[in-house]
């Protein structure tokens, strides 16, 4: 029997609890060894029914435990930096939910620490890369069957936003996925961001200007744009249309049972990201577990976390100023090339 | 200026009134010269606003008029036989709404009369042949790009039926279109019909067993089947899926604006045959007018009317007996080959 | 019999020839009385088979003819101004293919001349307004069932461009349709235009930067964007996705027979604008003929022609400068409100 | 840590090898303890890289092993009967790939043996029940939102067949899935089967009449039909259209990236059942492992295996005779109600 990867999950909120269930019920070769949450009751609730798992309130305790082989970080982003540095010291495989850290400067520190360690230990939770359609679009770009990629049109629509979701979070929490997706499709860095604000929905909470139109350029001049619309009510929709030299590709179309009744044809819109990307999360975590077991971490790296953090900073400035803002990146350490 | 085809329309009911408006407003090169209806008020109403048109109560008066160049027959089917014979005597172009006549024997008399005349003067109103998708499917069969056609699956669904719609009319009024479509796609005659009766909807009027499953064979052994379902409530749907040796073709899919709202994606189902086949009616009538002007009538012929009448007779017997019933046809006069 | 509208068609090139055939073969209540082209052979060819039509080489001759009731102008745009002024003097119904004139200043002269005349005599050939889906999207905006319209994403893709198609023509000949469509959907004027130039296809002729991304704002702040891509090779595609407060609407989706063969599912892309908008042209011309017969011209007006000319001027400047350029309009004469 | 279900896989052919990889790489809570194949080399190859697994050539050795908790049977169907009886004696959870056994009489012996044991130990590998769309269609039938289910139209198309695939296997290997699906959707037994043979493809191996049209009835009179077409070349397609009293539901539609290029719109057809139902296999096996761990086997039962075996017998007779053949079932033991 193969050795099982014993994972400590840091953070037992919505994403953390999801990952705990995933690791316990659907992922092969891994088990939940520990759950860390400052809310002890929440940590205890999260391990209910998971034989052998312990509930802790301090990440250091998990890092010190000889029963922990790997770390899955699902706390709020502002807590990532310190845990990441400690985990890099322990030199174990880490899956860090996005964002790597909330800003480019602190992300850069993580990149430098990992580069100094000299081996990739961090994978960032950009799970869309594990969605079959995203991978197929990237393969179409790389393969060249349709010529060069010229433009990308992204739509990112949520039914609504949780309490406390700020105007900056449209960029930092939502468009961040599109930044990574554009980098993933093109295999290029993003060079500038601009944000257009126009007519807004009355269904957004105070403080949010929703929707927004985000204009993005990449190194080779691919023009991308994102409609970010987070109080769209009708459901969840994440789609991309890509224009190539000899064709157009669309991903993220509706699917599922097709019904004709009461004068209408159609089906159900995906209600949220769990339904849309649940299988991608499973694939992501299984891939991370398999790679961690072999000591060969792949997937989105700390560099990807840093680069998207830089895009988000530029995006928030663009949102504030209305101007085109350049994205500036430090030189990429050789570990990531 | 080209001479205008002066058309007498016999019957000012729903179909007749539609055709009068069509001839007056949308068809080039024709005008409504006369409208005949035994209900004088209805005839008068039908010519309102059409300068130069006269209202008559007797078809013979229209046939006798020197101002009438052509006949469009839109009366109930049981009246067609006599008018057709008289119009053939007058030797003018005729568009006869389906059915040619209500039974194979009387249709055969029309075929013989026209064959004796020696020129095609009758076109039967199987307007689906003028729908672009129907023509494309026929072309795919004829062209052979997908190999031989092997099977046809037809769905014919109406939201509901008018008062007085009998169980036999499921065959005679609705499946008759599918009989002609199968003959049109395959360019073959139908050799047998069988009808399966199973679970029925509670939404059908008394006397109708709805839906029914009609099994059809053609000369070369193409197996077709039709779901005829005339109280389907949700809307109007007429579709065919064709299985070829190297591919599958579907026509009659939903289209139009695509909306995502309230958790659903989709669009509006076509409400009725006018919306689904309105353009085909326009094309049919324009083609008939153009051909009539040149004296070269094409389109579905009296033979097609006779052959489908024979299919309907077999279909009604099959409906009653549950058995496979052979379709028997007289030898085809050379006029139609 | 109703009187027939006797139309003189000015210009017997591609569009003119199409309209001549349309008027002769498919439009009810109109006939081609004259065709004017400086190329006499082309004019003669265009009237072949049209009884009663005369070929002329001078528009004035058509305007002077007592046998001409109405004018359809299908010459290159730079010739429109003079013919329009003369036709307004004659005070007859005019259908002028877009553009009204090539620039805002000369369009404004036409608007003023018509306003002085005091009745609408000019309809501009923005035929998309007669496409069923365009009308349905406008109705959805006006009706408010989906709340306020917030954003519009347009794609306008051609397989290729004719010889001599310049970079400015991407705006003046292609995006001009989108300018009008945005004005039609929103029932608002456009207030600014910006153009982004990024990675370009190698399949464009020298001098064209293709594709381009055009950013547009309307009076109420609706943000629109257009991917204009005129050497897209794969076929013709004109589509819009509209984001409302409670839903998303897409028009311009692919349709037609659906085939599965050789490992692929799908259908044929529309090859060109004739196939995509042929029915809209028929509807447009029939509506114009019907309105002209009653002396009640509706449809896109000279004001629409002027306003889109102003958008085009701003668009070409935006294309050159990369800056957001305001669209400035004179006050709208009361005739158009 | 939870105890792990130690599974012996009997048969290391295509399906067996797939399941071994699935259990090892993707299923949580289970491990491959043993692989049995009469071909020792194949058994050894199948356990390569799976620490702790043993290769055996005799199923009895696996059943005797104290390291085996459960059995997955993936041998050819004619070997199932004996292994099942022995495994029932050992009283461990069994997943038996379809068919339960090759004929109704031997299946009935299994049903009786399990009924005598008094607990459900056998799950049959009708994995479509674990496909999300199949489950959704069943829920629509059960929920009644669309009224009663009236008709089912199934299409089952394979690109080609493996060597040795006989005419009877169209029923026994392919339509058997549709028999189970119809029983699953309707929650009723099938009462009769009829088979229509018409025009056949030239692409089938000698001895196969392909396609065939299979007509099926259920207890309440639902009429189902299946186009079984196993040399359809274009790809794999398994779809159902269901007609209800107030609507129509289609499952199995094409999906995935949508490409417009070279005059075509569309995407890739699923090449085979692994791509179409791979996720359903994962869900099926995970559900079986989870249930086995709790001793609460659910899913398709030995009764389902027996009932479909009876349908297949009737289907093969119907294929031979062209007649409608009744399906006769013994009384259902209380264990299965």
């Amino acid at each position: 029997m193969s050795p099982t990867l014993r994972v400590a999950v840091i953070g037992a909120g919505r994403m953390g609890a999801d990952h705990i269930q995933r690791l316990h019920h659907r992922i092969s070769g891994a088990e939940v060894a520990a759950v860390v949450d400052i809310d002890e009751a929440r940590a205890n609730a999260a391990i209910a029914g998971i034989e052998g798992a312990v509930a802790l309130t301090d990440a250091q305790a998990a890092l010190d435990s000889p029963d922990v082989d790997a770390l899955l970080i699902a706390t709020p982003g502002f807590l990532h930096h310190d845990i990441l540095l400690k985990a890099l010291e322990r030199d174990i495989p880490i899956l860090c939910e996005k964002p790597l850290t909330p800003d480019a400067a602190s992300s850069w520190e993580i990149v430098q620490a990992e580069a100094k360690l000299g081996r990739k230990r961090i994978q960032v939770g950009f799970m869309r890369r594990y969605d079959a359609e995203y991978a197929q679009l990237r393969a179409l770009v790389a393969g060249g069957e349709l010529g060069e990629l010229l433009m990308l049109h992204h739509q990112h629509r949520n039914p609504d936003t949780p309490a406390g979701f700020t105007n900056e979070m449209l960029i930092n929490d939502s468009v961040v996925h599109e930044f990574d997706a554009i980098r993933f499709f093109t295999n290029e860095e993003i060079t500038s961001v601009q944000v257009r604000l126009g007519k807004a929905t009355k269904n957004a909470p105070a403080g949010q200007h929703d929707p927004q139109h985000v204009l993005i350029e990449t190194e080779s001049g691919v023009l991308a744009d994102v409609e970010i619309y987070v109080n769209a009510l009708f459901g969840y929709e994440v789609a991309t249309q890509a224009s190539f030299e000899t064709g157009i590709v669309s991903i993220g179309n509706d699917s599922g049972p097709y019904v004709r009744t009461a004068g209408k044809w159609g089906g159900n819109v995906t209600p949220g990201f769990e339904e849309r990307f649940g299988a991608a999360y499973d694939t992501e975590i299984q891939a991370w577990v398999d790679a961690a077991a072999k000591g060969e971490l792949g997937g989105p790296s700390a560099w990807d976390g840093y680069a998207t953090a830089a895009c988000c900073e530029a995006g928030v400035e663009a949102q504030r100023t209305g101007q085109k803002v350049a994205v500036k990146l430090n030189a990429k350490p050789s570990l990531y090339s």
Side-chain angles (χ1 to χ4, degrees), chain A residues 14-15 75-78 80 97-102 125-128 156 158 160-180 208 226 228 230 236 238 273 281 308-309 311-313 315-316 319:
Chain A
R14 181 175 177 183
M15 280 306 304
T75 63
F78 73 92
H80 291 185
E97 268 303 325
K98 60 96 196 165
L100 182 64
T101 72
F126 289 122
M127 83 296 175
R128 287 198 195 166
H156 181 137
N158 283 72
D160 50 31
T161 48
F165 203 88
T166 66
N167 200 44
E168 290 74 25
M169 290 168 85
L170 269 76
I171 303 294
N172 289 329
D173 265 56
S174 299
V175 178
V176 63
H177 280 294
E178 311 303 331
F179 287 141
D180 187 64
Q208 282 183 30
V226 178
I228 179 69
V230 295
Y236 184 78
V238 167
F273 71 90
Y281 278 114
T308 51
C311 291
C312 287
E313 285 194 2
V316 170
Q319 199 184 44

Side-chain angles (χ1 to χ4, degrees), chain A residues 4-28:
Chain A
T4 295
L5 191 76
R6 297 168 303 172
V7 181
V9 178
I10 318 294
R14 181 175 177 183
M15 280 306 304
D18 267 9
H19 284 314
I20 289 162
Q21 292 303 308
R22 183 169 281 118
L23 283 166
H24 184 55
H25 287 299
R26 294 199 298 280
I27 301 301
S28 178

Side-chain angles (χ1 to χ4, degrees), chain A residues 12-13 16-17 20-21 32 35-37 39-50 53-56:
Chain A
I20 289 162
Q21 292 303 308
V32 178
V35 171
V36 180
D37 202 292
D39 178 343
E40 190 170 2
R42 194 157 74 166
N44 274 312
I47 61 165
I50 305 184
V54 297
L56 304 169

Side-chain angles (χ1 to χ4, degrees), chain A residues 167-168 170-171 194-201 207-215 226 228 315-323:
Chain A
N167 200 44
E168 290 74 25
L170 269 76
I171 303 294
Q194 184 179 353
V195 178
R196 301 169 78 204
L197 302 180
K199 200 165 171 183
T201 177
Q208 282 183 30
H209 189 109
D210 186 37
Q212 303 185 10
H213 194 213
V214 183
L215 310 175
V226 178
I228 179 69
V316 170
E317 184 184 338
Q319 199 184 44
R320 191 170 44 77
T321 62
Q323 300 302 307

Side-chain angles (χ1 to χ4, degrees), chain A residues 159 234-237 254-255 268-277:
Chain A
F234 74 95
Y236 184 78
E237 181 184 22
D254 296 305
S255 61
N268 291 322
V269 171
T270 304
F273 71 90
E274 295 93 338
E275 292 79 3
R276 172 68 175 86
F277 288 115

Side-chain angles (χ1 to χ4, degrees), chain A residues 14 17 28 70 79 87 116 120 189 210 213 261 275 283 330:
Chain A
R14 181 175 177 183
S28 178
L79 296 170
K116 194 173 157 200
K120 285 201 216 167
E189 295 298 343
D210 186 37
H213 194 213
T261 190
E275 292 79 3
T283 306
N330 295 323

Side-chain angles (χ1 to χ4, degrees), chain A residues 246-270:
Chain A
T246 66
I248 311 293
V249 179
S250 302
I251 62 171
N253 302 303
D254 296 305
S255 61
Y258 184 99
V259 179
R260 272 149 286 164
T261 190
K264 300 278 181 188
W265 55 264
N268 291 322
V269 171
T270 304

